[in-house]
């Protein structure tokens, strides 16, 4: 994670450039991938069709990205004002220059974006069928590759955008805030000790624990419960299970006593 004066503002300086996109649904899916990671600046170079209902459908709520998307005729127009551009390609190129992984690309981009005056940068993706041409990749500062299965490294366009956008967000913001499951009241020491005493009594009564040869059963139970970090309600549940076992054991003993008479 790199410190930035305003990470959200820094992300606004990132352009996602899609070149000659043939299916408008892929534009919408890419917009959705961008918006989930906080990117909003989409530039389309000579798309086959845009705007289009398929793009809106696949954006699935990321309409703001499509509404503000720019359509230009050439890659130089799309990169105008950018100080750095990463061209994503799965195909090795003889004259590619520097080639970085998606993560390395994101880290380099984040260092630029974290500067006092964030410059504009671009993540560039080619057409669905053949990706970036050699001439298009040559206009980028670095070549970026997503380390995928070498036997099948061709990602869907939107999937590639998603990976690149996620890596950039992670490089800028770190792990970020994720949702947390609620944490309930922890059990007090004396409550846990009563649980151990109850468990020992019940385990002896049911024959699972031999008090003359206890071995390491109870110490292992202590370790297990310590790792679990028992909550108050969980102790109550376990005590309830043991209490029900106690009732069943007592009933069984009474039946056996009646039968023996």
């Amino acid at each position: 994670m790199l410190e930035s004066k305003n990470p959200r503002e820094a992300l606004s300086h990132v352009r996602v450039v899609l070149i000659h996109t043939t299916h408008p649904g892929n534009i919408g899916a890419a917009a959705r991938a961008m918006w989930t990671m906080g990117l909003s600046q989409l530039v389309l170079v000579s798309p086959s069709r845009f705007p289009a209902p398929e793009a809106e459908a696949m954006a699935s709520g990321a309409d703001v990205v499509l509404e503000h998307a720019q359509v230009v005729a050439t890659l130089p127009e799309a990169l105008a004002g950018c100080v750095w551009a990463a061209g994503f390609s799965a195909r090795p190129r003889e004259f590619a220059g520097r080639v970085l992984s998606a993560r390395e690309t994101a880290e380099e981009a984040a260092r630029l974006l974290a500067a006092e005056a964030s410059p504009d940068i671009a993540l560039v993706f080619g057409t669905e069928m053949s990706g970036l041409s050699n001439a298009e990749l040559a206009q980028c500062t670095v070549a970026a590759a997503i380390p995928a299965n070498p036997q099948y490294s061709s990602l869907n366009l939107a999937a590639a955008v998603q990976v690149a956008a996620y890596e950039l967000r992670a490089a800028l913001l770190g792990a970020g805030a994720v949702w947390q499951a609620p944490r309930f009241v922890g059990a007090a020491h004396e409550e846990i000790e009563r649980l151990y005493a109850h468990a020992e009594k019940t385990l002896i009564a049911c024959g699972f624990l031999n008090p003359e040869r206890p071995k390491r059963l109870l110490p292992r139970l202590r370790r297990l419960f310590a790792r679990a970090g028992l909550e108050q309600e969980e102790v109550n549940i376990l005590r309830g299970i043991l209490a029900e076992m106690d009732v069943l054991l007592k009933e069984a003993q009474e039946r056996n006593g009646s039968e023996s008479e």
Side-chain angles (χ1 to χ4, degrees), residues 35 63 74-75 96-97 107 119 128-129 169 174 178 214 225 238 249:
W35 193 232
D63 300 327
T74 65
L75 180 56
E107 289 168 352
E128 295 96 327
M129 294 300 295
R169 185 176 183 86
V178 297
F225 290 152
L238 291 172
L249 287 169

Side-chain angles (χ1 to χ4, degrees), residues 247-261:
V247 171
L248 295 174
L249 287 169
K250 183 178 179 181
E251 290 175 352
Q253 289 172 351
E254 290 174 351
R255 282 198 303 272
N256 290 337
S258 299
E259 290 172 1
S260 62
E261 292 175 1

Side-chain angles (χ1 to χ4, degrees), residues 166-228:
Y166 168 77
E167 289 290 354
L168 179 55
R169 185 176 183 86
L172 269 174
L173 304 176
V178 297
W179 67 272
Q180 300 290 327
R183 181 66 181 169
F184 299 99
V185 178
H189 173 76
E190 60 272 18
E191 293 172 326
I192 295 176
E193 288 304 310
R194 285 195 289 268
L195 169 64
Y196 287 136
H198 192 166
E200 182 176 11
K201 176 184 174 184
T202 303
L203 291 173
I204 290 172
C206 73
F208 190 79
L209 173 62
N210 183 345
E212 296 181 3
R213 301 178 62 188
K215 297 185 179 179
R216 297 183 178 179
L217 176 59
L218 292 177
R220 286 192 177 278
L221 280 179
R222 283 186 176 275
R223 286 182 61 195
L224 188 154
F225 290 152
R227 287 199 307 274

